[in-house]
Amino acid sequence: YFDKKNRLVDNIRHDLKGQYSANVFTDAAIDKIQNRGEKPFFMYLNYMNVHSPYQAPKHYTDRFTSHMRANKDRKAYAAMMSSMDEGIGNITKTLLAEGIYNNTVIVFASDNGANVGYCKELDEDGLGVKGYNKRNQLQRVEPGSNYPLRGGKRSIFEGGIRSVAFVHSPLLKVKGRAMNDLIHVVDWMSTFEDIISDGYRKRPLYHIKERPKTDSISAWKAISKGVPGKRKKFLININTKGSVKCGPNNPFKGIRKNQWKLIVGGGGPPAGWYNPYSAPIPSPGMKYIELYNIEIDPSETLNLAPSNPSIVLDLLRELKQYKETMVPSIRRKKIDLTPYLNGKVPTPIDITDPRNSESFFAEESRFRNDFAFDYSIVTEQMIDSNQNGP
């Protein structure tokens, strides 16, 4: 990984080669808990499951052989999930055995929706298309699914950005309920601060004298007590530089405010509805301006932009405000890893390869490289959308 000064920190454990990562991570987590000392601790555990490549030890895949013969990747996907489930169970048992379970909060969350197989990657020889039938260009069937939500990983439709999560703890005042409030990933920081600070405990573990100004909004009271959450809107994305590898092929933006979700420039691909047990339902076609009422249409089937111009303009103003305060990304800086490798086995993604370092953000686009917030342009696009239907 790279530190704050953009320096590579190489702590690769080459001695663990051949071991299954989920088991290695679980064992390391259990060891840390058992040797934690007397101080409270925070553990951030990132399993690689269920990210591709879809691999699992045989004793996990054998559990699903009888009813998943047709799709090898889906069987491996289920086995990977089973392995992670077993690891989390063993960590929870360790918390119980150590006598600290009753004072622990467990958060399980994902970073994005499931991969539904849009990616058109070149083969190693640069000639073929990986995952595609060269004769008829049929798309590979991926094991993940977000159905009935639309789209998937890399898109900004709900299938790509609405990820599952749960919070488990004896400290919850209200248990066993589904929460439908808006929570953004940045909100976990303030939520964890409230768990340990004056914002929650009568005898706080930690006094936060001055909280830095961030976009994070605590959701702890909403989670633990069932009161309404404070977040009413969040920025989904602003991409002004072109296409994303295996995803949208033009600049795109998105924002959510209350029940309304605005997409500018196209939310995908992937943009269809992908049920692993039946043929995919293709996208009806993406418009430059799309507006959805997520509370009544979470599958994003009806574009309401043509009939709600005032809502569209309000959300465009919100997008403009976000754009004006954007901080430049450091991830587009070209980084040469060669000096750091020193003859070692390269990392799985070698970003010194031009195909990996440059292809994530293409310069060409069928839309403008940046969306000018000119309401005459917006009106023109909406009139066009209205004439062509939702």
Side-chain angles (χ1 to χ4, degrees):
Y1 66 94
F2 294 92
D3 63 17
K4 293 181 179 180
K5 295 185 178 180
N6 221 27
R7 298 172 301 191
L8 179 69
V9 179
D10 184 5
N11 290 327
I12 299 175
R13 290 283 302 277
H14 297 280
D15 58 305
L16 297 174
K17 185 177 180 179
Q19 297 188 43
Y20 194 54
S21 65
N23 297 338
V24 172
F25 294 170
T26 297
D27 291 344
I30 290 174
D31 179 69
K32 290 289 185 182
I33 293 171
Q34 291 175 335
N35 296 281
R36 67 191 180 281
E38 297 299 322
K39 293 184 178 180
F41 66 91
F42 171 79
M43 178 178 290
Y44 185 45
L45 175 58
N46 289 314
Y47 282 103
M48 298 174 71
N49 303 32
V50 290
H51 199 284
S52 62
Y54 307 117
Q55 301 169 343
K58 187 176 183 299
H59 65 274
Y60 290 114
T61 57
D62 284 348
R63 300 176 182 178
F64 304 95
T65 300
S66 61
H67 57 290
M68 288 190 177
R69 296 181 185 275
N71 191 327
K72 182 180 178 181
D73 280 348
R74 189 154 180 80
K75 182 172 70 172
Y77 193 91
M80 293 171 74
M81 184 66 75
S82 179
S83 169
M84 179 175 61
D85 183 61
E86 181 180 284
I88 295 172
N90 289 337
I91 292 171
T92 305
K93 290 177 182 177
T94 303
L95 294 172
L96 286 163
E98 293 291 310
I100 57 176
Y101 168 80
N102 288 333
N103 200 36
T104 300
V105 177
I106 299 172
V107 177
F108 178 90
S110 177
D111 56 349
N112 47 250
N115 186 14
V116 292
Y118 172 75
C119 192
K120 296 181 179 179
E121 296 181 21
L122 292 177
D123 287 330
E124 292 181 1
D125 59 8
L127 299 175
V129 181
K130 189 180 300 182
Y132 278 71
N133 182 310
K134 295 180 183 179
R135 177 178 298 178
N136 55 20
Q137 296 291 291
L138 287 176
Q139 204 168 347
R140 161 184 170 144
V141 177
E142 288 287 338
S145 174
N146 308 294
Y147 190 81
L149 299 180
R150 185 179 181 183
K153 181 176 179 178
R154 303 179 188 90
S155 80
I156 58 173
F157 290 113
E158 290 297 283
I161 65 169
R162 183 188 291 207
S163 60
V164 295
F166 71 77
V167 178
H168 174 81
S169 175
L171 298 175
L172 298 177
K173 302 297 183 183
V174 181
K175 303 178 177 66
R177 71 181 188 94
M179 180 178 173
N180 295 313
D181 299 78
L182 294 181
I183 298 182
H184 192 277
V185 63
V186 300
D187 295 338
W188 289 121
M189 185 181 77
S190 291
T191 301
F192 293 149
E193 285 181 341
D194 267 1
I195 292 173
I196 65 173
S197 71
D198 323 75
Y200 169 64
R201 294 175 175 270
K202 293 180 180 179
R203 297 169 60 186
L205 300 174
Y206 179 67
H207 290 280
I208 301 175
K209 295 181 180 179
E210 184 177 351
R211 298 193 184 196
K213 186 177 180 180
T214 69
D215 294 323
S216 185
I217 300 174
S218 175
W220 180 240
K221 289 184 179 179
I223 293 171
S224 63
K225 298 181 179 180
V227 300
K230 295 180 180 179
R231 180 171 288 283
K232 304 302 178 185
K233 66 177 181 179
F234 60 79
L235 175 69
I236 298 172
N237 204 349
I238 294 180
N239 180 315
T240 62
K241 298 299 182 182
S243 64
V244 175
K245 184 180 181 182
C246 307
N249 52 18
N250 51 267
F252 60 92
K253 302 166 183 66
I255 188 172
R256 171 78 184 268
K257 184 177 182 181
N258 297 318
Q259 75 270 35
W260 297 106
K261 176 179 176 180
L262 180 73
I263 297 175
V264 179
W273 294 265
Y274 304 85
N275 186 338
Y277 300 106
S278 63
I281 302 173
S283 167
M286 294 179 290
K287 304 297 182 183
Y288 190 69
I289 299 287
E290 296 181 50
L291 178 71
Y292 298 99
N293 186 327
I294 299 301
E295 289 187 0
I296 63 175
D297 181 26
S299 296
E300 294 166 297
T301 61
L302 183 62
N303 179 15
L304 300 174
S307 57
N308 293 275
S310 61
I311 296 174
V312 170
L313 294 179
D314 175 61
L315 293 175
L316 283 171
R317 293 187 188 100
E318 298 273 5
L319 270 176
K320 182 179 181 181
Q321 184 177 4
Y322 277 116
K323 183 179 180 298
E324 289 174 346
T325 57
M326 282 175 59
V327 177
S329 170
I330 64 170
R331 298 309 299 160
R332 294 191 182 131
K333 183 178 179 180
K334 199 170 182 178
I335 302 170
D336 183 8
L337 285 180
T338 306
Y340 301 101
L341 293 177
N342 297 324
K344 296 179 181 179
V345 179
T347 51
I349 298 179
D350 182 3
I351 62 174
T352 62
D353 186 330
R355 291 178 300 178
N356 291 330
S357 61
E358 297 297 328
S359 63
F360 287 93
F361 299 94
E363 294 182 359
E364 296 183 357
S365 169
R366 61 192 181 96
F367 290 123
R368 303 163 61 103
N369 273 347
D370 196 359
F371 179 65
F373 289 86
D374 185 326
Y375 296 147
S376 63
I377 294 176
V378 175
T379 304
E380 182 180 331
Q381 294 285 352
M382 290 174 61
I383 292 173
D384 180 65
S385 296
N386 196 23
Q387 291 173 346
N388 292 310

